[in-house]
Amino acid sequence: MKKFSKNTHRIFASLFAAFFFCAGCFAERISFSARTMSGRAGSKEDTTELSGNANVVTESIEVKADAIQLSGKEFRYVSASGKISGIHKESNLEFSADNLKYDRETKIVTLSGNVNLVDKDNDVKATAQIIEYNSETDIAVLQIDVRLEQKKNVCTSAYAIYRKNEQMLELNGSAKVVQDDDTFGAQTITFNMDTEEILMEGNVRGLVTDDGKKDSSEKKSQQKKASEKEYKDAETQGENSSGESNG
């Protein structure tokens, strides 16, 4: 097992040097820089640890973080932690998270911990605790405390699949779509984000509020509160009915 020499460490630290590797297996170049760097080379895999304003750039993705690790044959795997931000250049997605894992061969990036994702092409903003994005299919899988915002639409659920190219969103688990004062809820919702067509299945419920330009703002506020109470009552009743049938 070989290690980088102390002189090499000193050079990396002082010059914030960037190194370029031609990865024949992945047919793309990778470069990186940081305040400090350490690593090892062996028969099974190479590992490089970057810390302090760490930055990694490939043809597909750019990542900035407090710490980044490159590992595997020809640095196949990229792992990052601490104040992560970056952009998926091929898909024009910006992101931030607490942790990141990226496989340069499968082109799958997994973000976890307070994840924010912005689809700049379609003006879609998403948050979740876990988001896995496959750049080969342009599909994102979102888990835990899912929320997507697009135009006047706010979509929430426990689990979701976002198909970027088709602009289709599949929401599962306490799924809800809010459009201005209108609310639609179900166990599963399929939502076309272009046409705003909604398909709902399982414990379906809804709240549609008339614009009512003639009504006073106070009256509309009272109507909205009453309608929201009816919606929540229907939601609770549906959950109770589901629990009874399961029992």
Side-chain angles (χ1 to χ4, degrees):
M1 186 73 69
K2 296 183 291 182
K3 293 186 177 181
F4 295 114
S5 68
K6 291 183 179 179
N7 289 336
T8 304
H9 288 181
R10 217 172 276 123
I11 293 172
F12 285 144
S14 60
L15 298 180
F16 300 85
F19 288 81
F20 298 87
F21 294 87
C22 292
C25 179
F26 311 127
E28 73 169 1
R29 187 174 64 178
I30 179 171
S31 65
F32 55 83
S33 62
R35 285 202 181 113
T36 61
M37 170 182 168
S38 63
R40 63 180 183 273
S43 58
K44 292 184 178 180
E45 67 174 30
D46 297 332
T47 301
T48 297
E49 304 279 353
L50 308 168
S51 60
N53 292 331
N55 184 58
V56 169
V57 180
T58 74
E59 294 173 13
S60 305
I61 194 171
E62 180 175 357
V63 180
K64 297 178 181 180
D66 289 339
I68 299 177
Q69 181 189 76
L70 306 175
S71 62
K73 184 179 180 181
E74 295 178 324
F75 300 118
R76 172 178 172 176
Y77 303 106
V78 179
S79 300
S81 61
K83 296 181 181 179
I84 296 168
S85 63
I87 183 167
H88 198 294
K89 295 184 284 186
E90 292 179 335
S91 303
N92 202 20
L93 299 172
E94 290 184 349
F95 58 82
S96 63
D98 294 335
N99 299 282
L100 172 145
K101 293 185 182 298
Y102 178 55
D103 186 328
R104 295 175 57 224
E105 182 174 3
T106 63
K107 298 294 183 105
I108 294 176
V109 57
T110 302
L111 304 163
S112 61
N114 303 308
V115 183
N116 289 273
L117 184 69
V118 179
D119 179 356
K120 300 182 69 176
D121 292 332
N122 299 291
D123 194 23
V124 174
K125 299 178 181 179
T127 61
Q129 287 304 306
I130 301 173
I131 297 181
E132 180 182 278
Y133 184 75
N134 187 328
S135 60
E136 296 289 341
T137 60
D138 280 321
I139 294 176
V141 176
L142 303 89
Q143 302 178 59
I144 309 173
D145 298 331
V146 175
R147 179 185 176 94
L148 287 95
E149 298 180 15
Q150 176 247 16
K151 298 178 182 176
K152 63 180 180 180
N153 305 303
V154 178
C155 310
T156 57
S157 65
Y159 176 89
I161 298 175
Y162 174 54
R163 303 181 188 278
K164 181 179 187 295
N165 292 340
E166 295 83 3
Q167 278 299 279
M168 294 295 296
L169 178 63
E170 301 170 21
L171 302 164
N172 291 276
S174 300
K176 183 186 294 185
V177 176
V178 177
Q179 299 174 320
D180 292 330
D181 291 334
D182 300 337
T183 303
F184 305 93
Q187 183 62 29
T188 301
I189 296 179
T190 302
F191 181 48
N192 187 317
M193 303 181 82
D194 279 336
T195 65
E196 297 190 347
E197 180 181 356
I198 297 176
L199 174 63
M200 302 188 293
E201 298 179 81
N203 190 22
V204 176
R205 56 204 176 275
L207 163 62
V208 179
T209 304
D210 190 356
D211 285 341
K213 293 182 180 178
K214 295 182 295 183
D215 294 337
S216 67
S217 59
E218 182 180 356
K219 184 176 179 180
K220 286 190 290 183
S221 177
Q222 291 174 348
Q223 290 175 335
K224 183 179 179 182
K225 288 180 180 178
S227 298
E228 287 176 345
K229 183 178 184 303
E230 291 175 1
Y231 177 87
K232 290 179 180 178
D233 289 343
E235 186 177 26
T236 302
Q237 185 177 0
E239 290 174 352
N240 292 337
S241 298
S242 176
E244 291 172 1
S245 52
N246 288 337

